[in-house]
Amino acid sequence: MLDTQKPPRKKWWTPPFDPRFPNQNQTRNCYQNFLDYQRCVKTMSRRGKNSEPCEYYFRVYTSLCPTSWVQHWNEQIKDGTFAGKI
Amino acid sequence: MAAPAQLGLQNAASPIMEELIAFHDHALMIIFLISSLVLYIISLMLTTKLTHTSTMNAQEIEMIWTILPAMILIMIALPSLRILYMTDEFNKPYLTLKAIGHQWYWSYEYSDYEDLAFDSYIMPTYFLEPGEFRLLEVDNRTTLPMEADIRVLISSQDVLHSWAVPSLGVKTDAIPGRLNQAMVASMRPGLYYGQCSEICGSNHSFMPIVLEFIYFQDFEVWASYLYIV
């Protein structure tokens, strides 16, 4: 299993407790951060700014959302059928 | 893990499970006291010649047998609620693990580490080494650091499943389209076994969960070099 060809993986920070979502149900936490990331990138590109500040949302939604959900939503955004208001 | 012919709960590996075992013993103590009292009174009433068939308006005894059970119920309810809220309590997690139920295996995603994700299938009986447990071993164990708070997000890809590890006091339903959060921590290194706990189809019994808690430094090495193709 030990593959020395590839570089070691980097550990990112894990999303901290979010007082907006104190319950067991974290579905909305994942979705809201995904939405915030898309909005952030859109706003930044409209203003012609660097989208680096949006990285935070990206890290949070990547850590929280199942990858299959993210893939699904990204496909929907590409097809223009995403239900969220970006 | 459970031993053959075991009667009690599995040994606790997390503070929550210690609490749960203590509460279980506390409730069982009350149940024993009530049962012995009731049995004693039944035997007394069956053997005595004295009867009270014409007793009316016995306010004192009515008062006692209303308030006493109420007090006993409160004595059970308060510690129960305390543990219920304790399991929802959330500290700053060190790691986020996603456990996703499928028909019929679990897949795990460690998205704090770029793309670390794998499926965890049951080990068929004919692949087992001596000393391994039938119907409990998996091909890829879920490795986690010990003595760290770990946030587990549980969901499902198809039907209802339930992610349960008795030694850690965790049992959380995996529901498609919903993310459930549970806190997991182990005070000891070792292997903890669990099984799917929500009937999910024909192979419901054949999707076990194995958590391998190791030292922090070893976990870092494991996570940074493990590439599953």
Side-chain angles (χ1 to χ4, degrees), chain B residues 104-106 119-125 127-128 133-140 195 203 205-209:
Chain B
W104 291 277
Y105 61 96
W106 291 96
D119 298 336
S120 186
Y121 282 88
I122 190 174
M123 192 83 102
T125 306
F127 283 164
L128 290 179
F133 303 110
R134 192 178 70 93
L135 304 183
L136 279 179
E137 300 290 347
V138 294
D139 54 357
N140 292 311
Q195 286 171 308
N203 284 344
S205 317
F206 309 113
M207 45 185 295
I209 297 149

Side-chain angles (χ1 to χ4, degrees), chain B residues 138-198:
Chain B
V138 294
D139 54 357
N140 292 311
R141 287 170 178 165
T142 313
T143 305
L144 292 168
M146 61 176 274
E147 289 180 334
D149 284 327
I150 296 150
R151 170 201 279 137
V152 189
L153 293 168
I154 296 140
S155 187
S156 168
Q157 207 68 275
D158 34 54
V159 299
L160 292 180
H161 299 273
S162 182
W163 197 81
V165 185
S167 302
L168 301 172
V170 189
K171 180 176 282 174
T172 306
D173 274 14
I175 300 164
R178 177 178 161 132
L179 275 179
N180 275 334
Q181 177 178 257
M183 201 66 154
V184 156
S186 172
M187 295 298 112
R188 289 184 270 128
L191 291 176
Y192 301 103
Y193 292 88
Q195 286 171 308
C196 179
S197 299
E198 177 69 55

Side-chain angles (χ1 to χ4, degrees), chain B:
Chain B
M1 66 171 298
Q6 177 177 335
L7 286 177
L9 296 162
Q10 295 185 22
N11 288 340
S14 74
I16 284 290
M17 195 55 201
E18 300 274 6
E19 293 280 343
L20 287 170
I21 291 174
F23 176 68
H24 166 265
D25 296 350
H26 164 78
L28 207 64
M29 218 52 179
I30 294 172
I31 292 168
F32 276 141
L33 285 174
I34 293 172
S35 320
S36 16
L37 184 70
V38 168
L39 277 174
Y40 173 67
I41 293 175
I42 288 175
S43 60
L44 220 59
M45 291 175 94
L46 288 177
T47 50
T48 183
K49 287 201 175 69
L50 302 166
T51 48
H52 292 276
T53 47
S54 56
T55 307
M56 300 279 279
N57 270 325
Q59 297 302 347
E60 292 82 7
I61 190 70
E62 288 283 358
M63 192 70 104
I64 291 170
W65 68 40
T66 307
I67 291 178
L68 206 69
M71 303 270 275
I72 293 173
L73 286 180
I74 289 170
M75 271 167 58
I76 298 175
L78 289 183
S80 170
L81 285 172
R82 182 177 148 266
I83 298 174
L84 182 68
Y85 286 110
M86 213 187 257
T87 49
D88 260 357
E89 191 64 43
F90 225 77
N91 306 318
K92 192 177 182 298
Y94 166 72
L95 182 79
T96 304
L97 167 72
K98 281 172 272 180
I100 296 163
H102 303 258
Q103 277 177 322
W104 291 277
Y105 61 96
W106 291 96
S107 70
Y108 296 96
E109 295 171 12
Y110 297 68
S111 298
D112 295 344
Y113 294 87
E114 291 156 62
D115 54 348
L116 179 50
F118 55 83
D119 298 336
S120 186
Y121 282 88
I122 190 174
M123 192 83 102
T125 306
Y126 46 86
F127 283 164
L128 290 179
E129 303 283 331
E132 290 187 334
F133 303 110
R134 192 178 70 93
L135 304 183
L136 279 179
E137 300 290 347
V138 294
D139 54 357
N140 292 311
R141 287 170 178 165
T142 313
T143 305
L144 292 168
M146 61 176 274
E147 289 180 334
D149 284 327
I150 296 150
R151 170 201 279 137
V152 189
L153 293 168
I154 296 140
S155 187
S156 168
Q157 207 68 275
D158 34 54
V159 299
L160 292 180
H161 299 273
S162 182
W163 197 81
V165 185
S167 302
L168 301 172
V170 189
K171 180 176 282 174
T172 306
D173 274 14
I175 300 164
R178 177 178 161 132
L179 275 179
N180 275 334
Q181 177 178 257
M183 201 66 154
V184 156
S186 172
M187 295 298 112
R188 289 184 270 128
L191 291 176
Y192 301 103
Y193 292 88
Q195 286 171 308
C196 179
S197 299
E198 177 69 55
I199 187 82
C200 61
S202 61
N203 284 344
H204 162 65
S205 317
F206 309 113
M207 45 185 295
I209 297 149
V210 184
L211 301 188
E212 182 178 358
F213 280 90
I214 57 176
Y215 288 100
F216 199 77
Q217 296 84 342
D218 299 335
F219 175 76
E220 292 281 279
V221 174
W222 176 85
S224 54
Y225 284 104
L226 184 77
Y227 289 89
I228 291 169
V229 186

